[in-house]
Amino acid sequence: MKLEIIPHDASRIAALAEALGGNGRPAGAASAEATATSVLLDFDESVTSLRTIVDVVDVELAPSPGRRIVPLEPLGDETLANFASATLNVPDLDAIRLVETHLDPLLRKARG
């Protein structure tokens, strides 16, 4: 999975890139490249969950909170469900319960 992580405080970019790509990085992190405005992260979600990545980002940005995380490839239903499950602390939340899974076909039908 590829993400662009844009901290509100650009002075945190180097520290964020180090936390995500240096020694002690999350196990699934393949690369973390600092740019002038963000960190480009490539990680294996079968090894490290999106929730864990977001938690690492938020801990690293705690001295100067605020960020935007942009997926650079589509997030699958299972990824979204796992993230929602971990975030909401609802262990049995799965992709079938995601609103978008059911909403998209209805919207396509309505547009006709």
Side-chain angles (χ1 to χ4, degrees), residues 36-104:
T37 59
S38 66
V39 174
L40 302 175
L41 175 67
D42 188 1
F43 74 99
D44 182 348
E45 66 181 302
S46 70
V47 177
T48 302
S49 72
L50 178 58
R51 177 75 259 164
T52 298
I53 295 296
V54 171
D55 287 344
V56 170
V57 168
D58 288 344
V59 166
E60 190 57 45
L61 297 180
S64 184
R67 50 50 180 178
R68 195 163 48 109
I69 299 175
V70 179
L72 298 178
E73 54 192 34
L75 299 177
D77 287 347
E78 285 302 318
T79 299
L80 292 171
N82 291 339
F83 182 75
S85 175
T87 301
L88 300 171
N89 197 24
V90 179
D92 64 339
L93 184 65
D94 58 15
I96 196 124
R97 293 179 56 193
L98 289 176
V99 173
E100 292 83 3
T101 301
H102 305 286
L103 186 59
D104 283 342

Side-chain angles (χ1 to χ4, degrees), residues 104 106-112:
D104 283 342
L106 293 172
L107 289 173
R108 278 194 297 272
K109 187 176 180 179
R111 291 181 190 136

